[in-house]
Amino acid sequence: MNRLRRFVPSPALAIACTALFVAMGGSAYAAVVISGKNVRNYSLTGKDIKKDGIGGVTVKESRLATVPAASSLANSAVVTAAGQFVRGKNVTRAVRTSTGQYQVAFGGNVQGCVSVASVGDTSAAGPPAGGQATTSGLATDGNVVRVRTTDGNGGPAVDRPFSLIVSC
């Protein structure tokens, strides 16, 4: 009886042999590659592609166009504590009206836009110690954004350099 047991295959050998026979029998799966010539324009939707199914290797970045919303970020300004315009886009003037109060005028109406300002040095140096900046529109001129700078505790207005972005 012991002589016959040594000819009985182990479970691992049985599984390996079964897998070999199935593979050799022609039962195999092929991956389907979808290319631009196989798909009509705009016929694929988000539900046709599994989550994270298209990644960095699949997407040719050189064929991507500019995002339309990115061009709306055409209004920006970097202003010194004295109210002098240093750099930015679409700015017609920047002026300090009183301590910690500034007005930045742009080349078009920015009333319906979002404006965000932050205290920061006009060079590559770090921001000045403490400081906050708030923005608001100017009721009498839709092209102007008002900026108020304060110390870090929200106290009285103090002169601070700032960066301003207006997105429409």
Side-chain angles (χ1 to χ4, degrees):
M1 193 74 157
N2 283 341
R3 285 185 177 177
L4 290 176
R5 280 197 180 216
R6 66 181 201 198
F7 293 112
V8 175
S10 69
L13 181 60
I15 291 172
C17 289
T18 304
L20 180 64
F21 288 128
V22 168
M24 291 178 66
S27 178
Y29 296 96
V32 177
V33 177
I34 297 176
S35 65
K37 65 184 177 186
N38 302 65
V39 180
R40 287 182 293 163
N41 287 342
Y42 309 109
S43 63
L44 282 178
T45 64
K47 64 183 177 186
D48 296 326
I49 300 170
K50 73 176 184 170
K51 184 178 180 188
D52 298 328
I54 297 177
V57 176
T58 311
V59 177
K60 292 182 180 176
E61 291 182 23
S62 61
R63 298 200 50 168
L64 296 177
T66 302
V67 178
S71 64
S72 70
L73 193 59
N75 302 313
S76 63
V78 175
V79 179
T80 67
Q84 181 182 15
F85 173 70
V86 177
R87 64 183 172 280
K89 291 185 179 179
N90 203 25
V91 175
T92 57
R93 76 180 190 291
V95 62
R96 178 184 164 271
T97 57
S98 64
T99 302
Q101 305 285 334
Y102 305 88
Q103 291 183 2
V104 180
F106 293 95
N109 191 317
V110 292
Q111 251 179 345
C113 305
V114 174
S115 58
V116 178
S118 63
V119 171
D121 196 278
T122 58
S123 67
Q132 296 176 339
T134 57
T135 64
S136 64
L138 186 63
T140 58
D141 189 349
N143 295 3
V144 174
V145 174
R146 295 187 316 175
V147 178
R148 179 176 187 263
T149 58
T150 63
D151 63 11
N153 301 320
V158 293
D159 292 338
R160 295 278 194 257
F162 63 90
S163 297
L164 172 66
I165 296 176
V166 180
S167 180
C168 299

